[in-house]
Amino acid sequence: MTPDVAAVQAGVNALSLGNGNDVPESLVEALYRSVNGTCFREMTHPIIVVITDAESHNGPSGANAYSGVSPTPRTYAETTAALNAREVKIVGGSVSVSLPFPFPIPG
């Protein structure tokens, strides 16, 4: 994290839209991997910023379950447990009012 607002704005401005037309997203799996990989330094407070425009596979309602994917992707419950175990905080929101992602997570 940085107190430099201009640097944060420059980083956001550098993001590009992929328009992959491949909804739903793999957000739950990405969050799980981020806490079970080497994403965070020791002795830090882990924060993940999420900005999305689509629902996720394996979301909290069980909607959009993966089918025929190997290895088997993690569930929302597994991901929430992993985030809670590392005391990760999620900051973010949806850019689509029709498909909001439930925040905050973990819960």
Side-chain angles (χ1 to χ4, degrees), residues 26-40 48 66 69-74 79 82-83 86:
S26 298
L27 177 58
V28 171
E29 183 70 11
L31 289 171
Y32 183 86
R33 289 183 182 200
S34 71
V35 296
N36 288 297
T38 57
C39 188
F40 299 111
I48 298 175
Y66 284 101
V69 176
S70 180
T72 302
R74 301 301 175 155
T79 299
L83 292 165
R86 291 286 309 267

Side-chain angles (χ1 to χ4, degrees), residues 1-9 11 47:
M1 299 302 279
T2 177
D4 186 343
V5 175
V8 172
Q9 186 64 58
I47 299 172

